[in-house]
Amino acid sequence: MKTIVQFFEDSVNKFADNVFMWEKIDGIYKGTTYKEIREQVYLFGAGLISLGIKKGDRVGLISEGRNAWLVSELGILYAGAANVPLSVRLHDPEEIRFRFDHSGVRIIIVSKSQVSKLKAVKKSIKTLEKVIFLDHEGNPEKDEILFESVLELGKNYLEKNRNTFEETWQS
C-alpha cells in the first residue's frame, strides 16, 4: 500500500516540469511545477524537523486552500508527523482549542484570516510549543515564526542532514 508521500513522489517523477498548482498573487495567476512544490515541501518538512518535530508528533493546520497549505500538509508528512487539520468553518475559538488541545499538537500552522481564532485560545493549548504563520503577522512573539523562516531553517538542515531527512520521509 502506498502512502500519500509515495504518491506525491511518483507524480513529481512523472510530471516534474508540469504546473501542479496555480495561485493568484497580486491579481495574477502564477503556476508552480511539481518539482518546485516538492522542493518547498522538502524545505518545510526539514524545517519542522529542525524545530524538533519527530515521527508521530502532531502538527495542527488551519488555513484556506492555497500553495502554502499544501506545502505545509505534505511537509508535516515528510517530517514523519501527523497532520491535525481544522476546517476554516469552525468559528468558535473554544472548539478550536478543544480539538488542538485534545490532539496534543506541538505546532500549529495558521493563515492570517484564521489567526484571531487561534490567538483567543493559544495560551490554553497545553502541548503547544510554536505557531507558524503562513502570512506576515505583525511582530511575532518568541513562540511564533513565519513560514519563510521555517523554509530557511529547512534549507540549513538539508545542507547538513539530507540523508537523514530522506531516511525520515522514506520510512
Side-chain angles (χ1 to χ4, degrees):
M1 182 183 289
K2 285 190 172 188
T3 66
I4 292 171
V5 169
Q6 290 166 325
F7 276 117
F8 179 64
E9 285 292 324
D10 288 348
S11 294
V12 174
N13 291 332
K14 288 179 189 171
F15 310 112
D17 296 320
N18 290 4
V19 172
F20 178 48
M21 299 288 292
W22 289 94
E23 187 167 47
K24 193 174 188 178
I25 300 170
D26 297 326
I28 300 169
Y29 283 96
K30 180 185 179 292
T32 307
T33 67
Y34 279 84
K35 184 171 45 179
E36 291 167 332
I37 292 286
R38 178 172 60 185
E39 184 55 32
Q40 291 177 32
V41 167
Y42 281 13
L43 293 173
F44 193 77
L48 290 175
I49 292 170
S50 74
L51 289 171
I53 291 298
K54 295 176 182 57
K55 191 171 187 168
D57 284 345
R58 287 157 185 80
V59 178
L61 178 58
I62 184 165
S63 171
E64 305 71 26
R66 59 198 261 192
N67 288 9
W69 180 90
L70 177 67
V71 169
S72 297
E73 167 87 26
L74 289 170
I76 291 166
L77 300 177
Y78 274 74
N83 183 21
V84 180
L86 291 191
S87 171
V88 296
R89 294 186 178 155
L90 284 174
H91 295 290
D92 180 2
E94 191 53 33
E95 182 71 18
I96 291 168
R97 185 213 53 81
F98 173 79
R99 291 177 188 218
F100 280 149
D101 202 32
H102 184 69
S103 65
V105 295
R106 292 185 54 210
I107 292 177
I108 296 173
I109 304 161
V110 63
S111 67
K112 185 174 191 160
S113 63
Q114 303 302 312
V115 167
S116 62
K117 297 176 192 177
L118 178 62
K119 289 231 181 200
V121 295
K122 176 181 146 187
K123 301 242 186 279
S124 61
I125 301 172
K126 298 175 198 92
T127 56
L128 182 62
E129 297 170 16
K130 193 161 289 294
V131 174
I132 299 171
F133 295 122
L134 294 179
D135 308 286
H136 291 283
E137 182 62 33
N139 296 318
E141 297 176 16
K142 67 177 175 134
D143 62 346
E144 300 171 341
I145 189 170
L146 296 174
F147 179 80
E148 291 84 10
S149 299
V150 177
L151 296 176
E152 190 61 34
L153 289 172
K155 180 180 175 189
N156 295 336
Y157 181 87
L158 288 175
E159 286 173 3
K160 299 173 185 147
N161 304 288
R162 192 155 196 96
N163 289 341
T164 302
F165 176 74
E166 290 184 10
E167 288 170 10
T168 298
W169 74 255
Q170 290 174 6
S171 70

